[in-house]
Amino acid sequence: MIFLTLMFSVFREAVAKKIFLGFFAIATLIILFFLLLVNVDSVEGMVNMMEATGEEGVKQLVMGFQVGMITISYFLVITFCFIAVSSFIPSMLEKGNVDILLSKPVSRTNIILAKFLGGVLLIFLSLTYLIGGVWLILSVKSGFWHFPFLYSIPWLTFSFAVVYALIILIGVTTQSTILSIIVSMFLVFVICPVLFVRETVIFSFITNSTMQFVINFFYYILPKLNDINKIIEEIIMGTAVSSYMPAVSSSLFMLAALLLSIFYFRRKDY
Amino acid sequence: MSVIATKELSKEYQSRTFSKEKILALNNFTFEVNEGEIFGILGPNGAGKTTLIKILLGITFRTKGNVQIFGKEIDDTSYKFQTGYLPENHRFPSYLTGEQALAFYGKLGGMNSVDVKKKTDEYLRIVDMDSWRKTKIKKYSKGMLQRLGLAQALMNDPKLVFLDEPTDGVDPIGRKQIRDLLTRLRESGKTIFLNSHLLSEVELICDRVAILNKGGLVASGSVEELTSVADSYRFSVSAIADDLMQPLLNTYKAVIKGPNEFTYKAGTAEELNGLIDFLRQKKAMILQIEKEKNTLENMFINLIGSQD
Ligand SMILES: Nc1ncnc2c1ncn2[C@@H]1O[C@H](COP(=O)(O)OP(=O)(O)OP(=O)(O)O)[C@@H](O)[C@H]1O
Ligand SMILES: [Mg+2]
């Protein structure tokens, strides 16, 4: 009960942060866009396309939309959700606020876990709204009920959870919202993409084997969001998933970040 | 039964991150608080009062020593079902309304939804915030925040309440209301642990006080004990006749305070009675004899001043 109260307090805090409402506004716009696009096209575009390329063509079109949606959802989560959740821990730890919280009969471990799970559940529900909505519209309008697209909901939630664990770690240790945002953005926009293309691009101009080893080392310990996006695309397109290693190592990173946060938080004086 | 008992409690803070320098916020502090009393901690700024409360509630960790609350070590959080806390300069999430904040903290304190609803209504009324319950906290004034904080500390019906400067920012009428509330709580058997700078207030409601300076215990006892001036008595008589004046001044070393008042320092009860016999023999009419009292403030200033 206490745990759930704490977990759902994340929801109210998110709603109070206007930025999270931005996510919903855009998600709703996207859903409306699909609703209208397919409506218009069903008169000429979609129907014509069906005649022109057959059932297989429609499937390819729908899956194309869905893969595109992954990229859109991913960037929505990164920009809106990461910024929204970055302040959760620092504001919880503000002097005068944390004192009351810690005087309640809830362990520090559970405080971190409740905030973590609350955030993850929140993003899961938000993604369900966005992706589930788009899936429903595409399915009804095309008659092609492509369930693998729905797997992207837990997968994207997982990507969020990995970075959220890092955001919590930075929040607990530095109590700085800005730093949490900067680090998570740097990770998502610089580190992950660069490490993702290390073999195809980076290693062609960094040829020193020690440097390559260092880069590989970071690749293996840090989260692999781009690799996870690739897994999601493979699932949607129905091709075999090339490797689950990125998912496994990212979950280890997430666990490590959470454990470190709890370890630090349990010892800290407020 | 003692509700709080500490033994040689010490707390060292690091003065800065990565610095070896330490601040000794509490130094071998041993004390007890009994069930059903209002216990006050006094001390100058930085004496370690807030640190003490935070250690008792597991917000800060002790460096050394023992703490028992309700007769048990504080190694898990279960005792916190029975405690309430109003921190100094507390803040609530400002996007909540008053009643939402109470509901939130009530549930965190382990209350069920039915009780939360009932107690929210009850305590909003007690602290006079009923008309503000639907207003966002960011629009509250300082005193309103303090009242809401007090309701938060009390609504889970705790056996032991920690109040750090509860009347800070509250107007005189509100202060009186809070004092009355605390007295009522004591009557219902609750133990109250109070930090305050307002010595006159502490004097009015505390059963016992401890004075803390630089992390160490300087004095403790009932307000009565701490404020009574050793063996000095104030006499009121109908008049100090001339034949009384000389012996009073010379033999008894009394200090004349007015046409019919003087004070006398008696080493023993015999000496005191000796003076009374003398006055009666001289047919002086004794109207009142009172043991002299210091104000808590005077006592405090003397005590702390003499330490620096
Ligand atoms: N988190 C902290 N880190 C380092 N030093 C601290 C910390 N909190 C308190 N101190 C130091 O510990 C000492 C005691 O502080 P404390 O807040 O307990 O004083 P206080 O008696 O409550 O004072 P006041 O009357 O001003 O509220 C002070 O010297 C303070 O600087
Ligand atoms: Mg203080």
Side-chain angles (χ1 to χ4, degrees), chain A residues 172-190:
Chain A
V172 164
T173 48
T174 67
Q175 294 181 28
S176 160
T177 304
I178 299 295
L179 200 63
S180 301
I181 295 176
I182 291 174
V183 172
S184 60
M185 291 295 155
F186 189 67
L187 181 78
V188 169
F189 284 108
V190 181

Side-chain angles (χ1 to χ4, degrees), chain A residues 94-224:
Chain A
E94 269 172 19
K95 214 173 157 69
N97 199 346
V98 67
D99 307 66
I100 306 185
L101 180 60
L102 294 179
S103 75
K104 301 296 175 190
V106 53
S107 74
R108 295 191 182 198
T109 306
N110 281 351
I111 292 175
I112 296 286
L113 290 180
K115 289 278 171 177
F116 176 72
L117 293 177
V120 171
L121 183 63
L122 173 75
I123 299 306
F124 178 79
L125 294 178
S126 311
L127 283 171
T128 304
Y129 171 67
L130 172 61
I131 291 177
V134 170
W135 174 78
L136 199 65
I137 291 165
L138 280 177
S139 302
V140 168
K141 298 295 170 182
S142 70
F144 174 41
W145 297 77
H146 190 46
F147 288 94
F149 180 46
L150 292 179
Y151 294 149
S152 63
I153 298 172
W155 276 103
L156 282 173
T157 306
F158 171 68
S159 286
F160 166 81
V162 172
V163 182
Y164 186 36
L166 178 67
I167 288 175
I168 287 180
L169 178 61
I170 297 169
V172 164
T173 48
T174 67
Q175 294 181 28
S176 160
T177 304
I178 299 295
L179 200 63
S180 301
I181 295 176
I182 291 174
V183 172
S184 60
M185 291 295 155
F186 189 67
L187 181 78
V188 169
F189 284 108
V190 181
I191 308 260
C192 286
V194 165
L195 292 178
F196 181 58
V197 297
R198 76 201 182 291
E199 278 174 340
T200 47
V201 180
I202 308 294
F203 288 172
S204 57
F205 50 87
I206 296 182
T207 45
N208 177 312
S209 67
T210 321
M211 279 304 288
Q212 289 193 349
F213 177 82
V214 171
I215 290 172
N216 270 327
F217 173 77
F218 281 114
Y219 172 74
Y220 284 108
I221 62 166
L222 289 176
K224 297 164 196 53

Side-chain angles (χ1 to χ4, degrees), chain A residues 2 5-6 9 12-13 16 94-97 99-106 108 266-270, chain B residues 11 54 57-61 77 80-81 85 87 89-92 95-96 104-105 107-109 152:
Chain A
I2 299 177
T5 304
L6 209 50
S9 71
R12 193 153 46 186
E13 190 169 354
E94 269 172 19
K95 214 173 157 69
N97 199 346
D99 307 66
I100 306 185
L101 180 60
L102 294 179
S103 75
K104 301 296 175 190
V106 53
R108 295 191 182 198
R266 285 181 66 96
R267 273 161 187 70
K268 177 102 168 93
D269 286 332
Y270 288 98
Chain B
K11 173 65 190 177
K54 285 184 175 180
L57 282 166
I59 298 164
T60 284
F61 299 107
T77 60
K80 296 182 190 173
F81 283 105
Y85 176 38
N89 307 320
H90 68 277
R91 41 165 113 177
F92 295 125
Y95 50 84
L96 298 179
F104 176 57
Y105 287 108
K107 283 183 192 155
L108 280 190
Q152 176 275 134

